């Protein structure tokens, strides 16, 4: 793989921002928009808006996008009465999925109801392949009846084909009972590392690790020390990838300012094991503020197809 795709949304106050956008890069450092910075996919079901994307390439070469079903532009002032508590309890009951063979032609939108009445919201999905079980683990953030829909935890389901799914189970919950959301998991040398946004103490992104996809997990304290210098409660939506020179790049979504200034902030490390990430803003450039997405390594021919991709505004 010699190029990268970033699947994301835009922090706008209009419904077109909460749709599927693509960015591409040759080196992972300098990014360009796809389709002239317009949406590549639109959500027409559920809340009619999507956020918090993940994308994976399956063993068979198929691409799968999952997203949170949520439109704050449409729903927050009306359906949810400007209440995040109401969103957490009553919104986002399904995840949204699209599939493709070539990153250009996508299936119809599918709504995945992975939870039941015990779940409040299903937010910020992520996908990782489990070598031990030879299947895929989809994990996400939810409020749940077990603590009266209070602080959120991470839950997961397993699938081999993205058609059938196991009953959801708990993946990770903070020992102090505080909220964790926005899980993003990666494998390095047989160890699974999971970045999480922690609310409360600490109020920043944390890193946990395990020899198994579903835990048990332990904190990576070296990463905590790296995050101590950041302003609390202003970073979320971690996504990571390996750069061409073998380093790990961690992107954190900075939301602690007005919408125009929001977007991803990059950090670089020699390995996940080290936990030592250094902020590296000067090494990166973005055409606009990418929001809550995932980076996927792609091939040269896939990069070239995406660079040429143009979608008419009247196409679904």
């Amino acid at each position: 793989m010699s190029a990268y795709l970033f699947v994301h949304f835009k922090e706008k106050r209009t419904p077109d921002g909460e749709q599927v956008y693509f960015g591409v890069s040759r080196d992972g450092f300098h990014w360009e928009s796809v389709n002239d910075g317009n949406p590549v996919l639109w959500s027409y079901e559920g809340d009619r808006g999507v956020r918090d994307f993940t994308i994976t390439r399956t063993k068979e070469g198929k691409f799968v996008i999952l997203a949170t079903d949520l439109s704050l532009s449409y729903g927050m002032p009306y359906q949810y009465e400007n209440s995040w508590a109401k969103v957490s309890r009553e919104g986002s009951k399904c995840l949204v999925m699209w599939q493709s063979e070539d990153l250009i032609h996508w299936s119809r939108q599918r709504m995945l109801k992975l939870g039941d009445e015990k779940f409040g919201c299903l937010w910020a999905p992520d996908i990782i392949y489990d070598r031990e079980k030879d299947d895929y683990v989809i994990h996400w953030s939810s409020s749940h009846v077990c603590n009266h829909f209070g602080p959120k935890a991470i839950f997961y389901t397993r699938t081999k084909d993205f058609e059938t799914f196991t009953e959801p189970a708990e993946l990770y919950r903070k020992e102090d009972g505080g909220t964790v959301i926005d899980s993003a998991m990666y494998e390095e040398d047989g160890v699974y590392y999971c970045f999480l946004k922690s609310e409360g103490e600490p109020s920043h992104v944390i890193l946990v690790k395990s020899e198994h996809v579903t835990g048990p997990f332990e904190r990576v304290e070296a990463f905590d020390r790296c995050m101590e210098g950041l302003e609390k409660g202003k970073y979320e939506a971690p996504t990571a990838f390996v750069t061409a020179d073998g380093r790990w790049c961690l992107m954190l979504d900075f939301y602690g300012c007005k919408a125009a200034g929001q977007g991803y902030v990059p950090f670089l490390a020699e390995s996940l094991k080290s936990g030592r990430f250094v902020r590296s803003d000067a090494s990166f450039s973005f055409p606009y503020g990418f929001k809550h997405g995932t980076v996927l390594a792609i091939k040269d021919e896939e990069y070239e197809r995406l660079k040429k991709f143009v979608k008419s505004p009247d196409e679904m």
Side-chain angles (χ1 to χ4, degrees):
M1 306 295 176
S2 55
Y4 300 90
L5 166 65
F6 208 144
V7 183
H8 64 91
F9 73 100
K10 287 184 179 181
E11 187 61 81
K12 297 178 68 177
R13 296 297 183 260
T14 53
D16 60 312
E18 295 170 305
Q19 307 299 337
V20 186
Y21 290 80
F22 285 177
V24 290
S25 173
R26 272 293 189 192
D27 58 9
F29 292 86
H30 304 97
W31 293 86
E32 304 171 77
S33 59
V34 172
N35 193 31
D36 294 325
N38 296 310
V40 172
L41 293 166
W42 283 76
S43 175
Y44 295 101
E45 299 186 39
D47 269 18
R48 293 172 293 137
V50 278
R51 305 163 64 95
D52 315 342
F53 303 102
T54 190
I55 183 170
T56 195
R57 185 196 304 262
T58 68
K59 291 191 307 176
E60 296 77 22
K62 182 179 291 186
F63 299 95
V64 178
I65 290 176
L66 290 178
T68 301
D69 172 38
L70 180 64
S71 173
L72 299 184
S73 299
Y74 283 130
M76 184 57 95
Y78 304 106
Q79 180 180 357
Y80 302 119
E81 301 172 356
N82 290 312
S83 168
W84 276 107
K86 194 174 181 68
V87 174
S88 298
R89 178 66 182 87
E90 300 178 10
S92 308
K93 296 299 185 180
C94 294
L95 297 179
V96 181
M97 182 173 73
W98 288 273
Q99 298 184 74
S100 174
E101 301 285 348
D102 59 5
L103 294 172
I104 302 297
H105 304 92
W106 291 88
S107 65
R108 289 183 64 87
Q109 176 180 354
R110 181 179 170 193
M111 307 297 286
L112 301 182
K113 190 169 178 59
L114 301 179
D116 55 23
E117 71 282 354
K118 296 178 182 178
F119 287 81
C121 58
L122 278 74
W123 284 353
D126 185 53
I127 306 167
I128 186 165
Y129 175 67
D130 186 349
R131 297 183 187 277
E132 291 181 276
K133 303 287 188 180
D134 187 28
D135 64 4
Y136 300 90
V137 172
I138 301 171
H139 50 103
W140 67 88
S141 323
S142 276
S143 58
H144 197 269
V145 71
C146 68
N147 64 349
H148 308 289
F149 302 101
K152 299 172 186 67
I154 308 301
F155 294 83
Y156 75 96
T157 183
R158 292 183 177 273
T159 183
K160 287 186 176 292
D161 54 12
F162 293 92
E163 295 293 334
T164 59
F165 306 89
T166 62
E167 288 294 315
E170 188 174 291
L171 180 77
Y172 182 80
R173 184 180 295 275
K174 279 178 66 178
E175 292 182 0
D176 65 5
T179 279
V180 280
I181 58 174
D182 297 354
S183 55
M185 195 182 302
Y186 307 91
E187 181 188 2
E188 179 187 71
D189 297 330
V191 178
Y192 294 93
Y193 294 85
C194 186
F195 295 95
L196 301 141
K197 179 192 177 184
S198 166
E199 297 181 357
E201 290 298 330
S203 184
H204 57 61
V205 174
I206 62 175
L207 178 62
V208 298
K209 67 178 182 178
S210 175
E211 294 182 357
H212 308 283
V213 171
T214 56
F217 294 93
E218 61 179 285
R219 285 274 285 278
V220 179
E221 294 182 1
F223 184 78
D224 286 340
R225 292 192 288 273
C226 292
M227 294 293 105
E228 285 176 351
L230 296 181
E231 296 173 278
K232 293 184 177 181
K234 295 188 177 182
Y235 296 85
E236 62 183 0
T239 187
F241 61 95
V242 179
T243 61
D245 61 8
R247 290 179 293 174
W248 277 91
C249 176
L250 170 66
M251 300 279 196
L252 297 184
D253 189 341
F254 173 66
Y255 64 95
C257 65
K258 293 182 178 180
Q262 296 183 17
Y264 271 94
V265 176
F267 299 76
L268 291 169
E270 295 300 318
S271 66
L272 295 179
K273 180 180 180 180
S274 74
R276 293 189 290 272
F277 283 81
V278 177
R279 186 162 179 167
S280 307
D281 299 54
S283 300
F284 292 78
S285 61
F286 300 89
Y288 49 77
F290 292 10
K291 294 296 296 179
H292 202 141
T294 294
V295 177
L296 178 73
I298 58 175
K299 303 173 184 177
D300 282 340
E301 56 267 31
E302 293 164 344
Y303 171 86
E304 294 298 337
R305 284 202 302 269
L306 287 168
K307 280 280 291 179
K308 297 174 184 176
F309 177 73
V310 177
K311 184 175 185 178
S312 170
D314 61 0
E315 290 182 62
M316 292 185 66

